[in-house]
Amino acid sequence: MCPTPLLSDYQVHVQTIVQGVFGHAGILCCLLIIVSYMTHPWKSSYPRSSAAWLQFPLLAVMIVIVLGVWVGWYTVSCDKCGEANNGYTWIGCWFSHWSWCWVGGWLAIFGAMSGAVWYNLVAIGILQSISAVRIKLPVWIQATTFHVLGTLCPFLYTAGLAMAEEINPSGGYGVCFLSATKVRWTLSLSWSVCMHTQTRARPLSLVPVLLFGRGEEEDIGLILILIDEWMVISCVRE
Amino acid sequence: MTSQWDGWFVDAVFWYPFTILVLSAAVILSWVVFRIWWAVGNAGVLKHWRLVAFLLYGISGFLYSSVNQWAFTRGTQNSVTEATTAWFVCLATHLDQSQCYEKGHIPGGFNFAAYMASTCVSCSVPIAFALILLSDPEIPLHWYDSFRRHILRQKVPDRWADQKRALKLSRSVVSQPSMRSAGGSVSAVE
């Protein structure tokens, strides 16, 4: 049964109003900050612009909050792709039709993680401006590094969770999310990928031996071989 | 490769990393505020009230999400499940469903007030950020000048010409370390 009928009609009504009003106010504020900073003569440049870049993940989270108001709580909460036997292999179901639930899950996880990282980056920017601490790199490299850490890394992390089929309907009145009741985590691709890697890519395991197999680095080569052998044994045991 | 998560999966891959990141930002920003206080005292902290407000509200808002997760979601997970299951059993075993609790009002069930409070706190973060960041006089003055310049087509003097020149000079100095060192050696000779 989805969504689980835990809320009364009145509570759903209150939720719709509260999330609709506060969510849209949040979106408006995010956009105001972004436009104000991006059009400003020097607040638009690194590192002052970090405060504006922080608003993009917050905007993603605000969209998650109003998504149910826009498309309806049933649409945003429930998706047949969340069922174990949906007739598709791997994540095929999610790509076979547009899913607000799944998109919302991406936005929620990416927005929260990216927002937390950007908050750190804003803090580092302020720390640089008030102290003698300096990152001795060209400005464009610093700015690019900030974007890699603040945007690209959280996106890849979210993508990794999505590809591992970990974003699923929560059962409540909200977007898909990571399972709160999960007991066993099975990497769905583990066995096939493991065997594929260990059979097709076996010659690659000789690379560390060639690279580190001499002189003082011999120990590193030995450790890498042991790890490789342990992975093979793990695959067989699986 | 399987692992026993016992329901902690969402905490391990989301809530712990998220909370650790927020706490690390709290440490850095606390250090910033401490440095300001150490250097210029209370007057300096008052002068940089936006920074302090940005620190306090952002950290509090972000951390409240984690607190809500562990206090009201994770912490009450078992009791909510038990209460909901008992309610479903009641509905299934009673023809007269008025004998069961009303939907949304199950004792020990889903905490609607906490859920709404968490939503309001999350939404208030960008609202508070907007109030803090946009209260900087530079922002409304820039909007005012832009309105007069681009909409009213008036000739408006650039009130930040000096700052822009200084910024440009600073960038050119940073991008040409050899010139900076050359200048330093010249002044040292003189």
Side-chain angles (χ1 to χ4, degrees):
Chain A
M1 194 181 294
C2 183
T4 311
L6 292 176
L7 302 183
S8 66
D9 294 343
Y10 175 73
Q11 286 171 335
V12 173
H13 191 58
V14 169
Q15 182 189 11
T16 306
I17 292 171
V18 170
Q19 294 196 196
V21 171
F22 279 92
H24 283 102
I27 288 175
L28 183 70
C29 289
C30 287
L31 293 175
L32 260 177
I33 295 172
I34 290 167
V35 172
S36 298
Y37 267 63
M38 292 307 173
T39 57
H40 197 270
W42 61 82
K43 283 184 189 292
S44 56
S45 59
Y46 171 87
R48 285 169 181 260
S49 60
S50 299
W53 288 111
L54 168 64
Q55 304 308 312
F56 283 97
L58 289 181
L59 185 63
V61 175
M62 290 302 112
I63 289 172
V64 168
I65 286 172
V66 295
L67 210 52
V69 181
W70 288 347
V71 301
W73 296 112
Y74 178 80
T75 308
V76 85
S77 311
C78 309
D79 204 294
K80 63 170 184 170
C81 297
E83 295 165 12
N85 301 313
N86 55 35
Y88 289 86
T89 55
W90 196 25
I91 54 173
C93 184
W94 297 111
F95 286 111
S96 70
H97 71 294
W98 181 257
S99 168
W100 287 111
C101 187
W102 207 51
V103 170
W106 274 77
L107 289 173
I109 298 168
F110 166 74
M113 297 303 279
S114 178
V117 176
W118 269 111
Y119 209 74
N120 277 271
L121 298 174
V122 171
I124 291 168
I126 297 170
L127 184 67
Q128 279 197 89
S129 67
I130 63 126
S131 68
V133 176
R134 291 287 180 275
I135 302 170
K136 290 175 182 174
L137 287 170
V139 170
W140 72 270
I141 292 183
Q142 290 185 43
T144 307
T145 308
F146 269 36
H147 282 283
V148 168
L149 292 173
T151 307
L152 187 63
C153 289
F155 179 80
L156 293 176
Y157 187 69
T158 311
L161 289 169
M163 295 302 121
E165 284 194 286
E166 299 298 348
I167 300 178
N168 288 304
S170 61
Y173 289 75
V175 295
C176 289
F177 202 66
L178 304 163
S179 174
T181 54
K182 195 178 194 68
V183 175
R184 293 183 77 82
W185 182 29
T186 306
L187 284 175
S188 51
L189 291 174
S190 61
W191 196 82
S192 58
V193 169
C194 196
M195 291 310 290
H196 179 85
T197 309
Q198 292 303 325
T199 51
R200 301 282 177 82
R202 190 78 182 132
L204 288 176
S205 63
L206 292 173
V207 172
V209 184
L210 295 171
L211 283 176
F212 298 107
R214 295 174 196 157
E216 294 172 355
E217 291 154 339
E218 197 171 351
D219 289 347
I220 301 172
L222 184 63
I223 291 167
L224 289 171
I225 292 168
L226 285 172
I227 292 171
D228 183 63
E229 292 302 324
W230 174 77
M231 286 175 70
V232 174
I233 293 166
S234 301
C235 279
V236 173
R237 284 174 67 185
E238 187 83 18
Chain B
M1 192 184 293
T2 56
S3 312
Q4 189 72 33
W5 282 99
D6 196 23
W8 285 96
F9 177 76
V10 68
D11 300 286
V13 299
F14 182 80
W15 289 108
Y16 286 141
F18 174 77
T19 309
I20 289 167
L21 283 168
V22 175
L23 287 175
S24 79
V27 169
I28 298 170
L29 281 173
S30 302
W31 175 245
V32 168
V33 174
F34 175 75
R35 283 291 302 254
I36 293 171
W37 177 79
W38 187 257
V40 283
N42 291 335
V45 175
L46 283 174
K47 189 183 172 189
H48 294 90
W49 69 269
R50 277 187 210 89
L51 180 63
V52 179
F54 186 81
L55 157 70
L56 287 178
Y57 204 88
I59 297 295
S60 307
F62 281 21
L63 279 182
Y64 185 80
S65 306
S66 303
V67 171
N68 179 70
Q69 159 67 14
W70 287 311
F72 297 113
T73 306
R74 174 79 193 170
T76 59
Q77 193 173 307
N78 292 336
S79 65
V80 170
T81 306
E82 285 168 15
T84 311
T85 306
W87 182 64
F88 278 129
V89 169
C90 179
L91 290 179
T93 54
H94 289 77
L95 286 175
D96 180 11
Q97 298 195 340
S98 65
Q99 292 180 3
C100 305
Y101 292 109
E102 281 185 44
K103 191 169 72 170
H105 299 282
I106 312 162
F110 183 70
N111 193 333
F112 181 70
Y115 176 58
M116 279 294 94
S118 171
T119 303
C120 290
V121 170
S122 300
C123 291
S124 71
V125 171
I127 296 170
F129 279 2
L131 291 174
I132 293 164
L133 296 172
L134 303 183
S135 64
D136 185 345
E138 285 182 3
I139 300 285
L141 284 173
H142 169 64
W143 281 104
Y144 176 65
D145 284 356
S146 300
F147 178 76
R148 286 176 62 198
R149 190 174 294 126
H150 300 296
I151 307 293
L152 302 179
R153 298 284 177 190
Q154 293 177 348
K155 282 194 174 180
V156 182
D158 191 349
R159 69 173 80 230
W160 291 301
D162 291 343
Q163 284 96 323
K164 282 183 189 170
R165 226 176 355 254
L167 195 71
K168 197 175 175 183
L169 183 66
S170 163
R171 278 183 185 155
S172 67
V173 168
V174 169
S175 62
Q176 294 175 343
S178 57
M179 279 188 69
R180 185 174 51 180
S181 59
S185 63
V186 168
S187 59
V189 169
E190 289 172 347

